Amino acid sequence: MTHPIRFDDSLPQLVVILNEKYPEVVAAAQPVVIRDFEGRLGVILEASPKDIEDLNTVVAKRLGPYARPQDPVRGRNEVGVSKIIEEAQEAPVLEVEGVNVRLLDRRIVGADWMVRPVLGSDAVPRIAFISIKGGVGRSTALSIAATHLANAGLRVLTIDLDFEAPGLGATLLTPEELPTYGVVDWLVENGLSGIDATFRADCIGRSSLLDGISVVPAFGSKTMAHPADALAKIARASLEDVRENTTMSLRNQLQEMIERFEDTGDYDVVLIDGRAGLHETTAAPVLGLGAKVLLFGINEPQTFQGYAFLLAHIRDRILGGADWEENAWFVQAKADPSDADIAQERFNALWSTEDEALPKPETLGPDDLDLVWADNDTPTPRSQDQVPVLRILNDERYRSFNPVENRVQLDERLVQSTFGDLLDWLDEQMDLAK
């Protein structure tokens, strides 16, 4: 019985076909593989018209529904191919079945996960709080971070990008302090009625917890007054905008939004609360906003499986993935003293598997006169000693976090005992360490 081709097998099977038929051609120039929105494959390579015709027959037969319906194989000199080849220069090189190919992965959703990461913001430091699952204390930690930095005299802007389970507005603002609009409103209006200085100001709430904390919630008071419109707004917020015949992705819209807030000169640091999971809206704070990224998780299998997916994607599918790793830190939330060693080993394993490890860039100084070239390009596993993990202790006093009504939760000694690792890290990043 012949088993049908499935998604995971389609790309390897295509490469096997190419290597079987024309190994010299495949070895001479990296084939450019295009995977369309539905997952079907096409390939561009250097071959004669007769060879391409033969390959089209074989590929269509063996890949079945995973071959593009018409001419899955194209020559490099055919009409319209040059633009795809040019675009492919920014696509990752993958080793598939012993062959290097460039993969252009077309997507209806998830396109922001495919773009080279932005490394660092131009002026105002940004820190993104990310988690695979909800309920790990990510938003609580961000709120604690905001109050800690504000206590140190910094002007802090917090932005809630968790549209489905927003928390910062209710945590850091009283109902009276909630601004008229929020992030979801911004993303809806920027492609329709437009954004001006008045609208920007109407998206910012000033927290009475401490001077220096400003909040851009996911939703403002307008949505609270008309809650039946919330789902309609969410459905439109993550869509691409089209402006003057140019498509603007979600990550570019969010980058533009944050820059508009930063351009006021009112803020020293921006804290970004991302949505839990690997949804399209998570790609921007992880890869697209130039933020330092805190990856929250508790010591359970779902955490490590989810981050294994994320890291493998960044390492294998994105140019600049190695550089991005220098901006990422793990945060073990709800940590117990008894599980410190095993949790550290599990976080280490996410970085140090031989199949997925990334080489670390060499830095040459003025005294490096003799350079010995490596005899191969095999990645060097990241040292386990270099894996950064911050620990937030499991503290029942923070199970229900509501500092607006319970100011005791912001007591300095209590906060330091539970969130000490995170606060020390913040001091180091913001040059506050004494």
Side-chain angles (χ1 to χ4, degrees):
M1 178 180 177
T2 302
H3 295 286
I5 292 287
R6 302 298 185 188
F7 186 95
D8 296 309
D9 306 318
S10 58
L11 178 57
Q13 185 61 36
L14 173 62
V15 173
V16 166
I17 295 168
L18 298 178
N19 211 23
E20 284 177 355
K21 296 294 182 181
Y22 302 101
E24 297 84 2
V25 170
V26 170
Q30 295 167 351
V32 174
V33 177
I34 306 98
R35 183 157 53 198
D36 71 12
F37 299 134
E38 293 181 323
R40 296 172 298 190
L41 298 172
V43 62
I44 299 169
L45 73 164
E46 191 76 54
S48 69
K50 178 62 169 66
D51 288 338
I52 289 174
E53 183 180 350
D54 293 342
L55 271 175
N56 270 316
T57 301
V58 175
V59 168
K61 180 178 180 181
R62 289 174 57 175
L63 289 190
Y66 276 96
R68 287 188 59 182
Q70 294 182 341
D71 297 333
V73 184
R74 303 289 298 276
R76 284 180 174 265
N77 297 322
E78 294 187 39
V79 176
V81 166
S82 61
K83 290 184 178 180
I84 298 177
I85 294 175
E86 182 180 350
E87 182 184 356
Q89 299 311 304
E90 288 296 311
V93 177
L94 309 181
E95 182 179 334
V96 182
E97 300 293 326
V99 174
N100 288 335
V101 302
R102 287 191 181 272
L103 175 65
L104 278 176
D105 202 345
R106 310 292 196 194
R107 301 179 177 207
I108 296 175
V109 295
D112 282 346
W113 282 116
M114 300 304 300
V115 184
R116 182 191 290 267
V118 177
L119 303 174
S121 55
D122 292 334
V124 181
R126 301 170 184 172
I127 303 172
F129 290 62
I130 305 299
S131 66
I132 293 296
K133 291 185 61 182
V136 299
R138 183 195 69 244
S139 299
T140 297
L142 187 151
S143 300
I144 293 294
T147 59
H148 176 76
L149 294 173
N151 269 324
L154 298 184
R155 299 166 301 168
V156 184
L157 178 65
T158 67
I159 299 177
D160 195 345
L161 299 186
D162 191 347
F163 305 155
E164 281 78 13
L168 294 186
T171 299
L172 295 175
L173 301 172
T174 66
E176 294 74 27
E177 293 164 350
L178 194 67
T180 305
Y181 302 111
V183 174
V184 172
D185 299 287
W186 184 295
L187 294 173
V188 170
E189 301 298 340
N190 66 353
L192 294 174
S193 63
I195 303 296
D196 57 18
T198 299
F199 187 90
R200 179 181 61 192
D202 286 341
C203 290
I204 302 170
R206 312 289 181 182
S207 175
S208 58
L209 285 175
L210 280 171
D211 288 339
I213 298 179
S214 299
V215 183
V216 182
F219 296 99
S221 60
K222 277 279 190 181
T223 304
M224 296 303 178
H226 303 90
D229 290 336
L231 295 185
K233 290 182 181 180
I234 291 174
R236 291 161 175 79
S238 58
L239 296 177
E240 295 179 336
D241 277 355
V242 178
R243 303 181 190 174
E244 299 179 352
N245 297 320
T246 300
T247 298
M248 192 168 191
S249 68
L250 175 63
R251 75 185 248 162
N252 288 338
Q253 293 177 63
L254 291 173
Q255 177 77 289
E256 178 185 71
M257 179 190 74
I258 295 175
E259 288 174 351
R260 293 281 296 274
F261 290 124
E262 292 173 342
D263 287 345
T264 63
D266 293 338
Y267 308 108
D268 301 309
V269 60
V270 178
L271 306 183
I272 303 164
D273 196 18
R275 169 183 169 172
L278 300 177
H279 185 263
E280 170 79 344
T281 53
T282 309
V286 172
L287 295 173
L289 302 180
K292 297 182 185 298
V293 181
L294 295 176
L295 303 171
F296 280 70
I298 60 178
N299 185 16
E300 64 179 16
Q302 295 94 323
T303 293
F304 302 104
Q305 176 177 283
Y307 282 128
F309 291 156
L310 176 63
L311 293 176
H313 170 81
I314 292 173
R315 291 166 171 174
D316 293 347
R317 296 291 189 267
I318 297 190
L319 293 174
D323 298 325
W324 173 86
E325 289 192 15
E326 299 301 324
N327 283 340
W329 285 259
F330 284 122
V331 180
Q332 183 192 355
K334 299 184 179 181
D336 291 314
S338 61
D339 71 352
D341 291 340
I342 185 62
Q344 182 70 52
E345 289 178 6
R346 289 171 174 169
F347 282 114
N348 288 343
L350 288 173
W351 297 99
S352 60
T353 53
E354 293 185 359
D355 290 338
E356 296 179 352
L358 287 164
K360 308 312 290 180
E362 294 288 339
T363 302
L364 300 181
D367 297 328
D368 293 311
L369 302 180
D370 297 320
L371 176 61
V372 179
W373 294 101
D375 57 3
N376 62 65
D377 293 326
T378 303
T380 302
R382 182 172 180 169
S383 167
Q384 292 190 1
D385 294 336
Q386 295 178 359
V387 178
V389 179
L390 310 175
R391 303 180 81 239
I392 295 175
L393 299 184
N394 187 16
D395 191 333
E396 291 294 326
R397 291 169 292 188
Y398 288 95
R399 180 175 293 277
S400 177
F401 185 63
N402 187 359
V404 170
E405 295 185 1
N406 184 8
R407 296 294 182 100
V408 173
Q409 292 179 315
L410 300 181
D411 177 79
E412 183 177 353
R413 288 178 298 178
L414 176 59
V415 167
Q416 187 65 43
S417 66
T418 305
F419 298 89
D421 270 8
L422 174 63
L423 304 185
D424 291 344
W425 180 87
L426 289 167
D427 289 346
E428 180 180 347
Q429 299 303 312
M430 300 303 300
D431 267 340
L432 300 175
K434 296 179 181 179

